[in-house]
Amino acid sequence: MWCCADRGITVEELAKELSISESTMERVMNNQDGMTFHQLKRMADYFGRGVLFFLEAGPVDETKVHTRQFRTLANQKPELSPKLKALIERAEKQRDIYLSLREDLDDSDWTRFEPPQVAELQPREAAQAVRIWLGLRDENSFDS
């Protein structure tokens, strides 16, 4: 199963984690019936996917499941925890939603983000430029 390989667990470990019998998991892996909707929902939740992901026929297309940036990150750091992988996937989905919403809105409504150019400056000068840009004084209190 692609999800088990992506998560780095065996089918037996998945069965134990989800409290599903190994015989049920074996039947499912052999494309036989055997899993209830409730069990399928638990598995979908465990992998951070929708139930329909597991009902779709055919092999998984990684280019549709993971973005290029995620695949690059996963290849560079194979020790990513399952929770971190899920967080990255959720952040990418939210970014896609945000960008699609921006396309629907007028650009004139958006405040342009123009940070100070500090790449060529020495650290002390860069810090001063950023403080001016942020409107910070030399001394600040909690009130300011």
Side-chain angles (χ1 to χ4, degrees):
M1 170 183 256
W2 179 85
C3 284
C4 287
D6 187 52
R7 181 65 62 98
I9 63 171
T10 65
V11 176
E12 292 78 21
E13 291 170 329
L14 176 65
K16 185 180 286 186
E17 187 74 28
L18 298 178
S19 300
I20 297 174
S21 71
E22 287 187 32
S23 61
T24 299
M25 291 301 289
E26 286 177 26
R27 284 195 309 272
V28 171
M29 294 300 152
N30 293 323
N31 292 325
Q32 299 172 352
D33 292 338
M35 194 175 278
T36 66
F37 182 80
H38 180 67
Q39 291 170 327
L40 184 62
K41 176 77 172 118
R42 279 191 298 172
M43 186 166 70
D45 291 343
Y46 178 80
F47 287 116
R49 308 261 174 234
V51 172
L52 294 178
F53 178 87
F54 295 99
L55 297 176
E56 193 171 306
V60 174
D61 183 0
E62 273 194 70
T63 60
K64 291 182 180 177
V65 176
H66 295 308
T67 63
R68 182 176 51 81
Q69 294 87 348
F70 182 86
R71 290 190 307 271
T72 301
L73 180 65
N75 288 338
Q76 290 176 356
K77 302 207 180 282
E79 300 90 27
L80 291 176
S81 71
K83 288 184 179 182
L84 184 57
K85 283 183 179 183
L87 176 66
I88 292 169
E89 287 181 7
R90 286 194 309 269
E92 288 178 337
K93 287 178 187 173
Q94 293 302 317
R95 182 179 185 277
D96 289 342
I97 291 169
Y98 170 75
L99 291 176
S100 70
L101 289 173
R102 275 203 61 180
E103 289 175 3
D104 295 340
L105 299 174
D106 185 19
D107 269 351
S108 63
D109 292 342
W110 291 93
T111 304
R112 295 280 178 209
F113 178 71
E114 297 178 18
Q117 302 300 314
V118 296
E120 304 286 326
L121 299 177
Q122 294 295 319
R124 188 176 300 273
E125 295 167 333
Q128 186 61 31
V130 169
R131 291 181 69 79
I132 291 169
W133 180 69
L134 291 173
L136 300 175
R137 299 185 193 108
D138 288 337
E139 290 185 27
N140 290 300
S141 67
F142 286 108
D143 293 332
S144 65

